[in-house]
């Protein structure tokens, strides 16, 4: 059984860990100025919304060329957001989103 | 008169974390299977495919690597692309860092390896609800909802082969963006968070279309909070910031910040 690519995995892991680990390990991260703390508090909502929007609206082909996409995913994610605003819980929201996408695709709408 | 039982905010938040993570488990499992299948198609052995999922543990970079290995791309190119695709983790790590400052460094180093989009989203939502770190919550978000299903599914995909239906048929592909958007809603407690979320999303899509989705995520995550900071806070936000500053000035005793 081939193990040649295990070394590539180690190199890829080594390229990934610094971005995951260094900010957590920097000394004095808990003594940041108030402005920096306020910035970091806003990273959560910004990056989660960005992840959702980019996943829904940007698709890439095999050569990683991006293109704009509007499909049933937009409606499904909006339904989840609406359910969260109505305090129905994330599990209900994600199940409803998956059902909308699955049913629309089964019916040939997407 | 009977004494009332004090509510347990940590327990309640952990229960919510477990429920919130169920959809993520399904997504990690579904796409782990697809990754395993793709890796098998590209000629990866089960050991190689699993090594990627254990050591790299980053879906987008792993899928890209399968494509580039299949296309005969140089290893150096794959490693540079991996660093680029995973650069967004800098933001996750920085946002979690103030909560984890009391955790011993060797444990933080392990936590970092397990940091993914999903682990960040679930754990920071949990930390914000309880106002401090909770290692149990982080392990749950990172290992139980993501690492274990992703790795088991990778192994299943690479061993079972072509008998796996497309996860998109079951709508599993929308669970990830739906969960991210839903968790973002939970963060919006004022005008600044709303501006950060909306502007981050718009910038992310624009940069993603102009360049690359990974660059879009970085741009939205970096610039959204800046625009949020430039937004004048509402009256309630002023009061909340003042109370946070007061708590920090009073220097909460360290046992109250115990991350266990």
């Amino acid at each position: 059984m081939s193990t040649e690519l295990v070394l590539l995995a180690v190199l890829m892991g080594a390229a990934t860990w610094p971005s995951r680990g260094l900010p957590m390990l920097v000394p004095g991260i808990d003594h940041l100025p108030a402005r920096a703390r306020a910035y970091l508090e806003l990273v959560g909502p910004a990056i989660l919304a960005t992840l959702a929007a980019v996943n829904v609206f940007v698709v890439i082909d095999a050569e990683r060329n991006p293109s704009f996409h509007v499909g049933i995913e937009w409606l499904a994610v909006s339904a989840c957001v609406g359910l969260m605003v109505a305090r129905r819980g994330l599990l209900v929201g994600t199940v409803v989103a998956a059902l909308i996408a699955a049913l629309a695709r089964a019916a040939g709408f997407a | 008169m009977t004494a009332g039982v004090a509510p347990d905010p940590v327990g309640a938040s952990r229960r919510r974390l477990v429920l919130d993570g169920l959809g993520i488990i399904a997504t990690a499992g579904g796409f782990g299977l697809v990754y395993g299948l793709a890796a098998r198609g590209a000629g990866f052995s089960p050991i190689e495919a699993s090594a990627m999922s254990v050591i790299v543990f980053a879906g987008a970079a792993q899928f890209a690597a399968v494509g580039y290995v299949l296309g005969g791309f140089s290893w150096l190119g794959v490693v540079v692309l991996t660093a680029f695709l995973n650069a967004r983790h800098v933001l996750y790590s920085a946002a979690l860092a103030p909560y984890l400052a009391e955790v011993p460094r060797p444990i933080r180093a392990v936590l970092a390896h397990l940091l993914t989009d999903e682990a960040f989203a679930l754990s920071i939502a949990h930390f914000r609800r309880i106002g401090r770190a909770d290692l149990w919550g982080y392990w749950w978000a990172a290992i139980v909802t993501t690492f274990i299903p992703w790795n088991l599914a990778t192994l299943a995909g690479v061993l079972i082969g072509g008998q796996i239906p497309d996860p998109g048929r079951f709508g599993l592909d929308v669970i990830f963006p739906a969960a991210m958007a839903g968790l973002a809603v939970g963060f919006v407690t004022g005008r600044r968070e709303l501006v950060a979320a909306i502007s981050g999303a718009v910038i992310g899509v624009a940069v993603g279309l102009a360049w690359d989705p990974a660059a879009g995520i970085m741009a939205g995550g970096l610039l959204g909070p800046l625009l949020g900071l430039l937004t004048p806070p509402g009256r309630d936000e002023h009061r909340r910031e003042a109370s946070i500053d007061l708590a920090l000035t009073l220097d909460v005793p360290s046992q109250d910040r115990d991350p266990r």
Side-chain angles (χ1 to χ4, degrees):
Chain A
M1 191 180 288
S2 170
T3 55
E4 188 189 342
L5 293 175
V6 173
L7 179 59
L8 178 61
V10 172
L11 294 173
M12 289 170 67
T16 300
W17 190 88
S19 61
R20 285 172 162 160
L22 291 182
M24 266 188 208
L25 295 170
V26 169
I29 195 84
D30 52 332
H31 293 101
L32 290 172
R35 202 74 177 155
R37 282 202 313 271
Y39 176 86
L40 290 179
E41 282 283 308
L42 295 175
V43 166
I47 203 140
L48 294 180
T50 305
L51 277 169
V54 170
N55 262 276
V56 168
F57 291 117
V58 184
V59 292
I60 49 170
D61 60 20
E63 280 82 41
R64 288 196 69 81
N65 297 314
S67 61
F68 190 66
H69 168 78
V70 177
I72 194 67
E73 300 83 6
W74 183 88
L75 185 67
V77 171
S78 298
C80 179
V81 168
L83 287 165
M84 282 298 286
V85 171
R87 298 184 180 279
R88 297 292 178 199
L90 186 64
L91 182 61
V92 174
T94 51
V95 168
V96 168
L99 277 176
I100 288 172
L103 291 174
R105 286 166 184 163
F109 293 129
Chain B
M1 197 167 74
T2 55
V5 178
D8 174 17
V10 176
S13 184
R14 283 179 178 178
R15 283 191 290 278
R16 188 166 158 190
L17 170 71
V18 170
L19 281 177
D20 287 353
L22 292 178
I24 300 288
I25 291 173
T27 311
F31 284 93
L33 277 171
V34 175
Y35 166 72
L37 183 59
R40 179 190 167 108
F44 288 36
S45 69
I47 289 175
E48 290 170 333
S50 288
M52 290 276 176
S53 284
V54 171
I55 300 169
V56 185
F57 188 39
Q62 288 180 235
F63 275 108
V66 165
Y68 285 125
V69 167
L70 198 58
F73 213 64
S74 75
W75 278 22
L76 179 63
V78 176
V79 171
V80 170
L81 180 80
T82 299
F84 170 69
L85 288 175
N86 292 332
R88 67 187 184 282
H89 293 102
V90 167
L91 290 170
Y92 305 162
S93 182
L96 287 169
Y99 289 102
L100 300 171
E102 303 287 317
V103 176
R105 279 173 193 274
I107 294 177
R108 270 186 271 169
V110 177
L111 296 176
H113 174 66
L114 299 166
L115 184 56
T116 57
D117 300 330
E118 295 84 353
F120 168 73
L122 291 171
S123 60
I124 200 160
H126 176 57
F127 293 173
R128 277 178 64 121
R129 283 195 296 268
I130 61 174
R132 64 172 176 82
D134 173 30
L135 282 185
W136 185 95
Y138 189 93
W139 297 130
W140 185 274
I143 296 177
V144 177
T145 71
T146 316
F147 189 84
I148 291 174
W150 177 256
N151 276 282
L152 288 180
T154 294
L155 202 55
V158 77
L159 289 174
I160 295 168
Q163 300 155 17
I164 298 161
D166 174 15
R169 251 180 67 190
F170 307 106
L172 290 182
D173 56 322
V174 302
I175 289 181
F176 176 76
M180 296 302 112
L183 287 167
V185 169
F187 277 80
V188 177
T189 52
R191 202 185 291 168
R192 284 182 158 181
E193 287 86 351
L194 186 64
V195 170
I198 292 174
S199 58
V202 171
I203 292 166
V205 170
V207 174
L209 288 170
W211 187 12
D212 186 275
I217 292 164
M218 276 295 280
L222 280 169
L223 298 177
L226 270 185
L227 293 172
L229 272 186
L230 294 175
T231 307
R235 266 186 306 181
D236 286 352
E237 288 170 271
H238 265 312
R239 273 201 290 272
R240 200 171 59 232
E241 280 173 14
S243 67
I244 289 169
D245 282 344
L246 179 64
L248 288 168
T249 307
L250 292 174
D251 193 16
V252 179
S254 60
Q255 66 267 27
D256 291 349
R257 290 180 285 167
D258 187 346
R260 280 170 299 173

